[in-house]
């Protein structure tokens, strides 16, 4: 029961944050140009014979491709973590292990 | 090493690897990317549940002097949570598998796609900081897994740091 309440609390907070983001994005989009909002493209809206691919219909299902994005993410995280650890080490601020917050 | 710490390590390791995999939709294909991202959301909820005590402790002491060391970590975790929600929300708004699967149609706005990419990059930076903040714990856990002969005296400081951290 306690766990269900915790999960509900997490979801409520997530919905509140998500709702704020949603409101901000839709307000800024409709505020600048009402024509930006449009219906989701349906199959057949665009010719898919290779002549034209709209930017929002990039085909990700061409088969397995080299995971460059995965490597990019790993590099970003590694660089940020290394810089952070070196900065804290340089300033002599030893960060304690925090197992309960991981 | 407590069973809960092992569970935490396994969950975090799985979540980290899943995050890397879902960050490459061209590698997984869009359908796997979307469903795996939803599963990642569930893993994050479990991660929060496992660390609930820390969240409650630090929230209660956030503006006291004793929480000075945990404050940056706390703010960083909130930022990570918010950016994760931004990824999920923008991903659902441009979804081509999950949302149509439930028979829903959402109005499409091109800015969601840009936001999805921006929030992904922000999350990767925050995740790097999150991992760095807990690097000592990760290293000590792996050391204890791969060197099980560590005597109890040398293993205990991690547990004492854990309790100390909950108070600071």
């Amino acid at each position: 029961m306690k766990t269900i309440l915790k999960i509900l609390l997490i979801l409520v907070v997530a919905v509140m944050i998500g709702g704020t983001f949603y409101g901000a994005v839709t307000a800024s989009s409709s505020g600048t140009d009402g024509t930006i909002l449009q219906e989701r493209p349906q199959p057949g809206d665009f010719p898919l014979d290779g002549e034209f691919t709209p930017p929002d219909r990039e085909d990700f299902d061409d088969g397995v491709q080299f995971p460059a994005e995965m490597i990019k993410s790993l590099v970003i995280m590694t660089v940020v973590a290394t810089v952070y650890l070196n900065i804290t080490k340089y300033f002599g601020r030893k960060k304690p292990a925090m197992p309960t917050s991981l | 090493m407590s069973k809960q710490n092992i569970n935490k390590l396994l969950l975090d390791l799985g979540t980290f690897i899943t995050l890397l995999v879902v960050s490459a939709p061209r590698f997984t294909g869009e359908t796997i990317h979307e469903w795996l991202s939803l599963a990642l959301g569930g893993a994050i909820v479990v991660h929060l549940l496992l660390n609930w005590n820390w969240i409650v402790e630090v929230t209660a002491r956030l503006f006291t002097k004793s929480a000075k060391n945990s404050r940056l970590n706390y703010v960083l975790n909130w930022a990570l949570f918010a950016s994760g929600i931004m990824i999920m929300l923008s991903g659902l708004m441009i979804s081509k598998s999950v949302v149509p699967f439930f028979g829903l149609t959402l109005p499409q706005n091109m800015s969601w796609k840009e936001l999805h990419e921006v929030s992904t990059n922000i999350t990767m930076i925050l995740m790097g900081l999150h991992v760095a903040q807990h690097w000592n714990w990760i290293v000590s856990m792996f050391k204890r897994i791969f060197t099980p002969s560590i005597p109890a005296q040398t293993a205990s400081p991690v547990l004492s740091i854990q309790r100390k951290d909950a108070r600071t």
Side-chain angles (χ1 to χ4, degrees):
Chain A
M1 189 62 193
K2 253 186 168 181
T3 308
I4 293 171
L5 284 175
K6 287 175 189 173
I7 293 170
L8 279 176
L9 184 61
I10 292 167
L11 292 179
V12 166
V13 172
V15 166
M16 282 167 67
I17 295 172
T20 308
F21 278 134
Y22 183 84
V25 172
T26 49
S28 64
S29 297
S30 57
T32 52
D33 182 3
T35 57
I36 292 175
L37 284 169
Q38 58 187 355
E39 285 297 312
R40 178 177 297 273
Q42 299 298 318
D45 281 358
F46 301 103
L48 295 174
D49 55 2
E51 287 178 12
F52 170 69
T53 304
D56 62 326
R57 283 184 68 90
E58 289 173 83
D59 195 355
F60 290 112
D61 293 320
D62 279 347
V64 176
Q65 295 181 22
F66 183 72
E69 294 145 317
M70 202 188 295
I71 292 166
K72 180 190 141 193
S73 303
L74 200 56
V75 167
I76 290 173
M77 284 190 264
T78 308
V79 168
V80 169
T82 307
V83 168
Y84 177 85
L85 287 170
N86 279 304
I87 287 173
T88 51
K89 196 177 171 187
Y90 180 78
F91 287 103
R93 286 173 52 202
K94 285 188 178 177
K95 305 303 289 182
M98 297 177 182
T100 51
S101 67
L102 190 72
Chain B
M1 187 157 47
S2 72
K3 198 180 172 185
Q4 196 189 20
N5 270 345
I6 294 173
N7 288 340
K8 278 182 185 176
L9 186 70
L10 289 176
L11 177 78
D12 294 347
L13 198 61
T15 307
F16 184 76
I17 292 167
T18 309
L19 180 72
L20 283 179
V21 172
V22 297
S23 72
R26 285 179 180 82
F27 174 64
T28 58
E30 209 163 72
T31 309
I32 294 174
H33 168 76
E34 290 185 19
W35 286 105
L36 207 56
S37 299
L38 269 191
L40 191 61
I44 289 164
V45 170
V46 177
H47 175 85
L48 292 174
L49 289 174
L50 285 174
N51 296 293
W52 193 261
N53 290 342
W54 182 85
I55 297 168
V56 172
E57 285 260 5
V58 180
T59 305
R61 296 165 182 262
L62 190 61
F63 298 107
T64 63
K65 253 187 175 180
S66 59
K68 196 181 163 190
N69 292 333
S70 304
R71 209 171 289 149
L72 174 67
N73 193 19
Y74 186 79
V75 171
L76 181 71
N77 288 345
W78 268 106
L80 192 55
F81 185 60
S83 68
I85 289 167
M86 191 66 214
I87 293 181
M88 294 288 276
L89 177 69
S90 55
L92 286 172
M93 294 307 290
I94 57 172
S95 165
K96 288 167 193 164
S97 299
V98 171
V99 171
F101 176 82
F102 292 106
L104 299 170
T105 309
L106 297 171
Q108 195 155 26
N109 180 336
M110 283 306 291
S111 52
W112 287 117
K113 192 177 165 75
E114 290 163 31
L115 278 168
H116 194 60
E117 284 164 16
V118 170
S119 53
T120 302
N121 288 334
I122 291 171
T123 301
M124 292 307 161
I125 292 169
L126 292 173
M127 185 55 76
L129 289 171
H130 190 65
V131 170
Q133 285 252 326
H134 301 91
W135 189 246
N136 290 343
W137 179 77
I138 296 166
V139 171
S140 70
M141 287 296 287
F142 273 104
K143 271 183 184 171
R144 289 164 70 181
I145 286 173
F146 293 109
T147 50
S149 58
I150 289 179
Q153 289 95 326
T154 53
S156 58
V158 173
L159 295 174
S160 64
I161 288 167
Q162 179 181 350
R163 289 194 297 271
K164 187 182 167 192
D165 173 61
R167 279 186 238 115
T168 53

